[in-house]
């Protein structure tokens, strides 16, 4: 594996720099049933080792479906997925961590026990669990809430518990599904910084699903833009940011250009998504 | 004083006040002594009955019958609930039946049960189970319906077996509803069994109350009624306190 340059000018990471970490080829997903829904694909995508990939797309275009299939939570209907050169098909490979769109914290466990859950399952020894849990809780700024229950926390803090819970497992591929969806803009920018810090410290590969164009533009090495359902990649833009970036990048003129480009790609697709929904409400009303 | 403490104290005040009022009404003979005896007399009589040990066998019989019916109902109710939850088609067929379950007067089948099993505790256990199981099934379904789907996904992330998923995620997640099921199952088991004893049996608390009633033994009848009330209230209070302790952490601050 390549060593990061020690100098201040960090190299730009793209999918090609260190070879592919996860590869999707011709991946589709159709939800079976009487009214089968073709939710995704076909998708062809390489996610590079240590890359930060953002995925944007109109709501309902299949972003969460893409995450489920890539994580091995659901098998693809067609196509193949490989993670670290091994096929993924309906079971979650070792080394993959997921932060879901919904609040997945366990309300009956304290913050500490929530974060320790996966390590206990994996049979890690107690001192190592304590070490990692303490680190993750500190990293996510939850030190004062170790003994609190999720119900006593705000939505954003609960999401941080879920991120800490994923982080302790030391995943090599972290998939996040609109993790900051419920937060206000300022908090989202700051959480974005946390995420960048996590990405740099762990050297993990990150795929972040988001509906916020600025979030995608600010955080990632590359932004994949998806079409309306069935979601396919229309384009994948390279941001060219340095590795040690943070949210102050939003003041950069290149940031504005990039966000503008994302929007011009997405506008038509978002209109389609809204249009199809209006069509639905009309036929439901009739 | 906290709000909860205030509510607690006013509840106790209400109960004590009612008992005192009843005592006064009985002592001043506004309530006919042939209709009802003062609570203090009930308590004294109850003490005599318990101290003499004449009722011990009946008490043990009733409580052991309730305990058997309760445990059986909880286990069977959980099992049926989980099974029905996993089979959506069966669920659709069974849902309307469950919704109208308690409108069926099951006691009409009690004589049939006696004819089948004889005049022993089996028909009583059966009637208790028939009463209590449905409550547990309904609560189990309620609880399982509300387990967030994302928890099942989380279990897959941790590559948990179906058994550990159920034990470590599904059951804790559904716990508040299962607890409601426990409370209802206990109450229904009690109602079914005491009523069954009352109608027809060879012993037990319900039988003893009916027996005292038929012999115009008002003191014993009321003493035993008081006993049943106090015991059921205490049991409920204990379950309630346990439940509150479990739920407190899950309530929004
Ligand atoms: N379990 C499911 N069964 C049937 N259709 C589904 C299911 N999950 C999602 N869908 C449909 O698939 C499409 C894509 O959903 P999703 O991946 O959640 O979109 P996104 O995350 O981009 O908003 C939507 O039209 C949604 O209604
Ligand atoms: Mg989604």
């Amino acid at each position: 594996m390549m060593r990061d340059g020690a100098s201040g000018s960090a190299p730009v990471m793209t999918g090609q720099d260190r070879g592919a970490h996860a590869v999707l080829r011709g991946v589709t997903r159709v939800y079976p049933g009487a009214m089968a829904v073709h939710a995704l694909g076909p998708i062809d995508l390489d996610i590079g080792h240590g890359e930060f990939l953002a995925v944007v797309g109109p709501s309902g275009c299949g972003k969460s479906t893409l995450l489920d299939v890539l994580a091995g939570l659901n098998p693809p209907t067609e196509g193949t997925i490989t993670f670290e050169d091994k096929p993924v098909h309906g079971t979650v490979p070792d080394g993959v961590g997921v932060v879901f769109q919904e609040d997945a914290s366990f309300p009956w466990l304290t913050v500490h026990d929530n974060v320790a859950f996966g390590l206990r399952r994996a049979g890690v020894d107690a001192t190592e669990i304590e070490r990692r849990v303490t680190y993750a809780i500190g990293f996510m700024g939850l030190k004062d809430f170790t003994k609190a229950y999720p119900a006593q926390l705000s939505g954003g803090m609960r999401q941080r518990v879920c991120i800490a819970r994923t982080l302790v497992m030391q995943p090599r591929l972290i998939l996040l599904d609109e993790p900051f969806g419920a937060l206000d803009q300022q908090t989202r920018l700051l959480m974005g910084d946390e995420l960048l810090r996590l990405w740099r410290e762990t050297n993990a590969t990150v795929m972040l699903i988001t509906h916020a164009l600025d979030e995608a533009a600010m955080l990632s090495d590359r932004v994949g833009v998806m079409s309306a359902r069935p979601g396919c990649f229309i384009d994948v833009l390279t941001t060219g940011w340095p590795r040690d970036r943070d949210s102050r990048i939003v003041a950069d003129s290149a940031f504005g250009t990039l966000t503008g480009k994302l929007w011009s790609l997405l506008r038509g697709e978002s209109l389609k998504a809204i249009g199809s929904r209006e069509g639905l409400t009309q036929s439901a009303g009739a | 004083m906290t709000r909860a403490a205030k509510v607690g104290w006013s509840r106790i005040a209400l109960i004590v006040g009612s008992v005192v009022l009843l005592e006064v009404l009985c002592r001043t003979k506004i309530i006919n002594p042939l209709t009802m005896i003062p609570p203090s007399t009930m308590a004294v009589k109850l003490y005599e009955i318990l101290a003499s040990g004449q009722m011990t066998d009946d008490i043990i019989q009733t409580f052991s019958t309730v305990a058997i019916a309760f445990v059986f109902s909880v286990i069977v109710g959980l099992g049926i609930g989980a099974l029905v939850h996993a089979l959506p088609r069966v669920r659709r067929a069974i849902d309307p039946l469950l919704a109208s379950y308690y409108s069926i007067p099951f006691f009409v089948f009690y004589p049939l049960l006696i004819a089948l099993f004889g005049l022993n505790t089996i028909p009583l256990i059966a009637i208790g189970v028939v009463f209590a199981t449905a409550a547990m099934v309904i609560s189990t379904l309620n609880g399982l319906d509300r387990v967030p789907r994302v928890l099942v996904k989380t279990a897959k992330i941790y590559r948990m077996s179906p058994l550990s998923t159920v034990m470590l995620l599904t059951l804790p997640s559904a716990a508040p509803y299962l607890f409601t099921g426990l409370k209802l199952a206990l109450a229904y088991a009690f109602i079914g069994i005491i009523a069954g004893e009352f109608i027809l049996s060879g012993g037990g608390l319900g039988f003893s109350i009916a027996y005292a009633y038929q012999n115009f033994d008002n003191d014993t009848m009321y003493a035993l009624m008081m006993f049943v009330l106090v015991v059921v209230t205490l049991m409920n209070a204990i379950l309630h306190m346990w439940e509150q302790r479990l739920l407190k952490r899950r309530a929004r601050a």
Side-chain angles (χ1 to χ4, degrees):
Chain A
M1 198 185 260
M2 214 176 91
R3 224 161 19 93
D4 282 332
S7 66
S9 62
V12 178
M13 295 291 166
T14 65
Q16 286 73 46
D17 281 8
R18 293 197 201 162
H21 200 180
V23 179
L24 294 89
R25 285 287 173 269
V27 169
T28 65
R29 169 87 184 154
V30 178
Y31 286 106
M35 301 236 293
V37 180
H38 182 185
L40 182 73
I43 298 280
D44 287 285
L45 179 70
D46 288 20
I47 306 176
H49 261 287
E51 182 184 19
F52 195 130
L53 175 77
V55 174
V56 292
S59 60
C61 77
K63 300 184 294 295
S64 298
T65 305
L66 170 65
L67 179 137
D68 280 5
V69 174
L70 175 54
L73 290 164
N74 276 325
T77 306
E78 292 169 300
T80 56
I81 300 158
T82 46
F83 169 65
E84 297 178 345
D85 303 321
K86 285 192 270 306
V88 178
H89 195 88
T91 51
V92 182
D94 182 48
V96 174
V98 180
V99 178
F100 292 104
Q101 188 168 6
E102 306 90 351
D103 173 20
S105 60
F106 306 138
W108 60 92
L109 295 180
T110 61
V111 168
H112 176 280
D113 291 353
N114 260 283
V115 177
F117 187 88
L119 294 173
R120 287 184 181 152
R121 292 275 77 220
V124 177
D125 78 89
T127 48
E128 174 67 5
I129 290 179
E130 274 326 294
R131 196 185 64 75
R132 286 206 220 169
V133 169
T134 309
Y135 174 77
I137 284 177
F139 189 92
M140 295 315 296
L142 294 163
K143 215 173 262 145
D144 297 337
F145 302 95
T146 310
K147 291 200 175 73
Y149 287 92
Q152 297 162 315
L153 306 178
S154 69
M157 284 161 84
R158 255 177 279 158
Q159 198 57 281
R160 274 193 267 167
V161 172
C162 294
I163 297 176
R165 200 170 74 185
T166 305
L167 170 64
V168 284
M169 302 305 287
Q170 303 181 334
R172 300 182 293 280
L173 174 63
I174 306 177
L175 310 173
L176 301 105
D177 194 354
E178 307 197 18
F180 314 134
L183 306 184
D184 62 84
Q185 178 77 1
Q186 295 89 304
T187 316
R188 267 195 315 124
L189 288 177
L190 294 177
M191 287 300 294
D193 283 340
E194 298 298 294
L195 196 54
L196 282 173
R197 201 157 61 87
L198 187 154
W199 169 64
R200 274 193 298 269
E201 285 195 19
T202 60
N203 284 313
T205 306
V206 171
M207 183 176 93
L208 170 74
I209 289 170
T210 173
H211 56 247
L213 302 184
D214 56 347
E215 205 169 274
M218 156 189 143
L219 297 173
S220 62
D221 295 317
R222 288 192 302 159
V223 188
V225 183
M226 281 175 87
S227 66
R229 186 171 65 88
C232 301
F233 283 105
I234 313 170
D235 206 345
V236 183
L237 304 180
T238 303
T239 62
W241 305 133
R243 191 170 165 84
D244 57 357
R245 57 187 173 259
D246 62 35
S247 59
R248 281 170 296 184
I249 234 165
V250 298
D252 199 303
S253 67
F255 175 83
T257 316
L258 185 63
T259 317
K261 207 156 151 199
L262 286 174
W263 179 232
S264 60
L265 280 169
L266 263 178
R267 206 181 104 88
E269 298 303 323
S270 300
L271 278 174
K272 264 188 238 166
I274 290 174
S276 63
R277 209 181 294 158
E278 271 171 2
L280 274 178
T281 43
Q282 266 166 21
S283 59
Chain B
M1 219 189 309
T2 64
R3 229 182 71 118
K6 266 187 206 162
V7 171
W9 280 112
S10 39
R11 195 176 297 146
I12 290 171
L14 186 70
I15 294 169
V16 172
S18 313
V19 173
V20 170
L21 179 68
L22 197 59
E23 183 79 27
V24 171
L25 289 176
C26 289
R27 292 275 172 209
T28 53
K29 304 219 157 63
I30 293 173
I31 293 179
N32 186 339
L34 288 176
T35 309
M36 188 163 207
I37 60 173
S40 58
T41 314
M42 293 180 202
V44 170
K45 181 68 184 175
L46 175 57
Y47 176 77
E48 283 171 21
I49 291 172
L50 292 179
S52 74
Q54 65 190 88
M55 219 45 99
T56 310
D57 286 350
D58 294 286
I59 293 171
I60 289 174
Q61 185 189 321
T62 298
F63 285 129
S64 57
T65 313
V66 169
I68 293 168
F70 172 69
V71 171
F72 194 83
S73 306
V74 167
I75 294 170
V76 171
L78 260 176
I80 294 179
L83 196 68
V84 170
H85 183 81
L87 303 168
R89 251 190 232 186
V90 177
R91 174 77 182 271
R92 276 195 292 279
I94 234 175
D95 255 343
L97 299 179
L98 281 176
S100 56
Y101 187 85
Y102 284 104
S103 60
I104 303 170
F106 284 103
F107 276 103
V108 299
F109 300 118
Y110 186 55
L112 176 68
L113 290 171
I114 291 179
L116 278 175
F117 299 110
L119 190 59
N120 50 40
T121 54
I122 293 177
L124 286 172
I125 293 173
I127 206 93
V129 167
V130 161
F131 256 59
T133 305
M136 196 62 207
V137 171
I138 293 169
S139 300
T140 304
L141 284 171
N142 251 333
L144 293 181
D145 284 347
R146 282 166 185 75
V147 174
R149 260 208 255 179
V150 71
L151 283 193
V152 180
K153 285 191 184 180
T154 308
K156 283 195 188 171
I157 297 286
Y158 293 127
R159 284 174 291 175
M160 291 162 69
S161 68
L163 182 66
S164 55
T165 304
V166 167
M167 298 309 287
L168 295 171
L169 298 183
T170 315
L171 285 183
S173 177
Y177 295 90
L178 300 182
F179 222 104
T180 306
L182 289 187
K183 288 205 298 188
L184 287 175
L186 184 63
Y188 279 124
F190 248 108
I191 293 172
I193 285 162
I194 300 245
E197 288 175 344
F198 199 96
I199 296 169
L200 187 60
S201 75
L205 277 169
F207 167 80
S208 304
I209 293 173
Y211 187 83
Y213 169 71
Q214 274 146 16
N215 289 294
F216 306 104
D217 183 358
N218 258 4
D219 288 11
T220 304
M221 182 183 87
Y222 276 116
L224 290 178
M225 281 166 65
M226 181 183 238
F227 181 64
V228 170
L229 269 182
V230 168
V231 168
V232 171
T233 309
L234 274 180
M235 278 184 169
N236 248 309
I238 291 168
L239 272 180
H240 181 75
M241 264 149 52
W242 185 19
E243 183 184 31
Q244 289 304 308
R245 266 196 29 204
L246 274 178
L247 294 191
K248 206 167 78 188
R249 60 181 69 153
R250 293 175 71 157
R252 301 265 156 174

